[in-house]
Amino acid sequence: MIKNKFSRREFLSHIIGNLTFLLVANNFLLKRLNAKTKPKVVIVGLGIGGATCLQYLSKISDLVEIIVVEKLNEYQTGPLSNLVIGDILKREDITFKINKNKYKKVKFIYENVRVVDVENKSIIFSKDLIINYDFLILSPGISYKNNILEGYNIADKKNIPHCWDGQSDIIRFKRRLSDLEDNSKIIISSPDYPYRCPPAPYERASLIANYQRKLNKKVKILILDSKNSFTKQENFFKEWQNGFRDVIDWIPRNKGGKVTFYDQKKKFVKNSDGQIIKGDFIHIIPEQKAASIFSDSGLLNEGKDWCEINPISFEVDRFKDIYAVGDSIDAWAMPKSAFSANSQAKVLAINLINKILGRDYIDPVFLNTCYSFSRENRAFSISAWYRLNITKDKIISLGSSESDVDANNYSRKLEAKHAFGWYETMVNDLFT
Ligand SMILES: Cc1cc2nc3c(=O)[nH]c(=O)nc-3n(C[C@H](O)[C@H](O)[C@H](O)COP(=O)(O)OP(=O)(O)OC[C@H]3O[C@@H](n4cnc5c(N)ncnc54)[C@H](O)[C@@H]3O)c2cc1C
């Protein structure tokens, strides 16, 4: 057990009586808490991390006031979104609205948060609305580094949508993909680490190849990579060799994979060697950083793209009572994935409850499993386990296990089933 540093005296100023006592008291006593004196927990972002925090914190909704703020009316998941692009699922299958009936005591606000006012412990919305918090949880995901690739402007609607978040237009992406002529050349520019869901560019390439085949079109897919290797590489290579030989080519950074220039009108990119590569469909996956609310609110440490946190409490480095989770944090060995966000958010919420109740923190362990599809009913995965280092200031990996490269058809099919099972369990738990 780890002692939390929150002073009980400080907390008692928020509430009537001692909550540790109240927890073991009967419901009658709990109901007597005056709503105005309850500590206010505000959650920004109702994606995977935010919804997980909500699920856990709502267990003490008699003791705290919970407000959730989300800018979008519906949430489109990253997981399985490549299957929508690949025409295996429909957009509706991966789009959710939170079931508010499960959270009767929670207030939901659908607005964009512009900035956190750290001094006054409040969040400020685009519409000049202000909400105060006692504890703030931020799980707003990622934003993109603009002007990093010459010629590429992220806001330009004429580009192929990047589809790396729930706001990017997956239907337009798919339409442009379906409109491609026979023998077209598709270029996918894969970003440098760290970015959201490391295997997703390669899964996307596989499912685009599969889709074009279903449309009876011959295409060539060139993955121009800003890296020299990628996760589950041997499994992907095996799947491409078996299913998409002569369709997908991967060019690592040291062989000219880094894209440095993009010309949308003339439809070409240039690599770091100055070589011009033409394409009929040029899909840039932009370089990423923490959601802009972090930089706009001064919550990032100097020179950092990702938010630095305490790995036990998930409190933001240097900022008391502000917590961050999910893709926007630097989680050391943990990749940016829904599975990771879910696993981290459980720890954040449990330890925030412990702090509120004046209990000891749990010493966390984390898990991440990442499934990738190469076609319908063919998937493979990597799982890894994590805990804190001895000095308790870093998340380290305890080891990992990846699907066998020579797995047979049955195993690939079984893993696809597991992938759907994991997904359904998670979204049902969080949203429905
Ligand atoms: C193509 C693709 C495939 C993927 N596949 C997988 C997979 O198979 N398995 C896996 O584990 N992960 C996968 N992921 C990764 C996964 O989507 C993310 O890791 C996960 O969603 C991170 O959760 P989060 O809570 O940090 O952010 P999100 O889930 O993105 O949630 C952030 C929420 O915050 C809201 N928000 C942002 N800013 C504000 C603001 N200022 N005010 C109000 N609301 C705001 C957003 O609208 C959003 O709803 C994939 C991602 C992609 C792009």
Side-chain angles (χ1 to χ4, degrees):
M1 289 296 177
I2 295 168
K3 285 273 174 218
N4 90 59
K5 290 187 187 125
F6 182 67
S7 117
R8 183 167 298 190
R9 195 172 303 141
E10 196 177 352
F11 177 63
L12 286 179
S13 68
H14 291 295
I15 59 166
I16 299 165
N18 183 324
L19 286 178
T20 314
F21 164 71
L22 283 175
L23 189 76
V24 291
N26 61 30
N27 273 342
F28 172 71
L29 271 176
L30 295 180
K31 280 177 191 149
R32 283 183 54 190
L33 266 174
N34 179 342
K36 278 188 191 148
T37 62
K38 289 182 190 178
K40 194 193 277 182
V41 181
V42 177
I43 302 173
V44 175
L46 194 47
I48 304 297
T52 307
C53 287
L54 172 63
Q55 188 195 20
Y56 277 69
L57 282 160
S58 67
K59 294 183 200 309
I60 58 158
S61 58
D62 280 327
L63 305 176
V64 293
E65 183 187 348
I66 302 173
I67 299 180
V68 177
V69 187
E70 166 57 54
K71 66 179 172 185
L72 303 176
N73 285 323
E74 51 179 29
Y75 176 70
Q76 179 188 298
T77 66
L80 304 194
S81 62
N82 282 333
L83 277 73
V84 176
I85 283 173
D87 207 41
I88 295 166
L89 295 177
K90 302 255 172 292
R91 183 176 175 270
E92 303 84 86
D93 298 328
I94 60 158
T95 308
F96 300 90
K97 277 191 172 155
I98 193 106
N99 176 5
K100 290 186 192 156
N101 287 331
K102 269 186 7 192
Y103 303 110
K104 291 223 164 77
K105 290 184 180 152
V106 175
K107 186 169 174 192
F108 293 87
I109 299 175
Y110 288 91
E111 293 284 353
N112 180 56
V113 179
R114 199 161 48 79
V115 77
V116 180
D117 178 351
V118 177
E119 292 286 300
N120 293 308
K121 291 191 92 173
S122 62
I123 55 169
I124 304 174
F125 296 83
S126 317
K127 294 178 182 163
D128 280 349
L129 178 72
I130 292 175
I131 289 186
N132 289 95
Y133 61 80
D134 293 303
F135 303 106
L136 176 66
I137 298 175
L138 299 171
S139 189
I142 54 161
S143 64
Y144 305 94
K145 294 183 185 171
N146 215 355
N147 304 323
I148 246 209
L149 170 57
E150 206 188 327
Y152 179 76
N153 179 352
I154 210 138
D156 187 343
K157 291 260 185 283
K158 290 198 274 323
N159 290 335
I160 306 284
H162 52 70
C163 291
W164 225 252
D165 58 47
Q167 267 181 284
S168 186
D169 192 346
I170 204 165
I171 302 299
R172 193 156 59 87
F173 185 104
K174 214 172 141 190
R175 198 176 313 124
R176 292 192 59 173
L177 201 57
S178 324
D179 289 347
L180 282 176
E181 289 175 6
D182 205 12
N183 291 312
S184 290
K185 185 163 171 191
I186 295 170
I187 292 175
I188 299 177
S189 164
S190 184
D192 209 348
Y193 292 128
Y195 65 96
R196 163 177 276 185
C197 199
Y202 316 95
E203 177 186 65
R204 184 167 289 181
S206 315
L207 295 177
I208 289 175
N210 185 51
Y211 179 40
Q212 293 296 314
R213 178 176 296 160
K214 284 201 283 185
L215 294 173
N216 282 323
K217 286 180 196 166
K218 251 177 116 183
V219 292
K220 188 91 191 163
I221 301 175
L222 194 61
I223 305 173
L224 295 173
D225 211 327
S226 303
K227 309 175 288 299
N228 284 324
S229 62
F230 60 93
T231 175
K232 293 186 265 186
Q233 181 169 313
E234 296 310 318
N235 266 300
F236 275 107
F237 283 170
K238 190 66 186 264
E239 287 298 287
W240 295 346
Q241 206 178 40
N242 289 341
F244 308 113
R245 198 189 294 256
D246 301 328
V247 178
I248 301 175
D249 275 346
W250 175 69
I251 315 288
R253 185 187 185 108
N254 59 12
K255 298 220 165 101
K258 173 86 184 151
V259 172
T260 56
F261 180 85
Y262 166 66
D263 192 320
Q264 184 202 75
K265 278 199 189 121
K266 294 187 186 146
K267 292 189 166 183
F268 72 82
V269 292
K270 263 191 210 171
N271 67 9
S272 45
D273 302 331
Q275 196 187 352
I276 289 180
I277 306 151
K278 285 189 143 284
D280 303 291
F281 182 98
I282 302 179
H283 173 28
I284 307 285
I285 304 171
E287 305 277 331
Q288 297 162 28
K289 57 182 183 169
S292 50
I293 190 174
F294 286 95
S295 46
D296 295 347
S297 311
L299 295 173
L300 298 181
N301 284 336
E302 205 176 330
K304 301 289 180 187
D305 288 327
W306 305 97
C307 180
E308 294 182 308
I309 49 111
N310 172 321
I312 301 165
S313 62
F314 287 80
E315 200 162 25
V316 174
D317 195 24
R318 300 183 293 119
F319 294 95
K320 194 168 167 296
D321 298 333
I322 304 180
Y323 300 81
V325 73
D327 287 352
S328 47
I329 65 167
D330 175 351
W332 297 276
M334 287 188 87
K336 299 183 186 304
S337 73
F339 208 120
S340 298
N342 184 245
S343 181
Q344 295 159 2
K346 286 176 187 170
V347 172
L348 187 168
I350 290 168
N351 274 343
L352 182 56
I353 293 173
N354 284 335
K355 175 174 179 162
I356 289 173
L357 298 178
R359 294 173 177 166
D360 291 339
Y361 284 143
I362 57 159
D363 191 359
V365 286
F366 306 95
L367 176 64
N368 178 54
T369 298
C370 202
Y371 296 98
S372 295
F373 284 81
S374 58
R375 278 177 266 170
E376 288 92 343
N377 302 321
R378 278 187 82 83
F380 45 94
S381 65
I382 186 163
S383 289
W385 299 266
Y386 308 87
R387 66 165 168 75
L388 303 192
N389 61 347
I390 283 176
T391 45
K392 309 284 181 202
D393 53 9
K394 230 185 225 185
I395 299 174
I396 54 167
S397 171
L398 286 174
S400 65
S401 129
E402 187 176 332
S403 307
D404 188 349
V405 172
D406 296 317
N408 58 24
N409 291 342
Y410 174 75
S411 302
R412 295 293 200 221
K413 197 170 172 178
L414 197 62
E415 289 236 55
K417 224 171 145 183
H418 291 166
F420 284 120
W422 161 72
Y423 181 82
E424 270 172 37
T425 310
M426 181 181 69
V427 293
N428 285 343
D429 251 17
L430 299 185
F431 300 108
T432 62

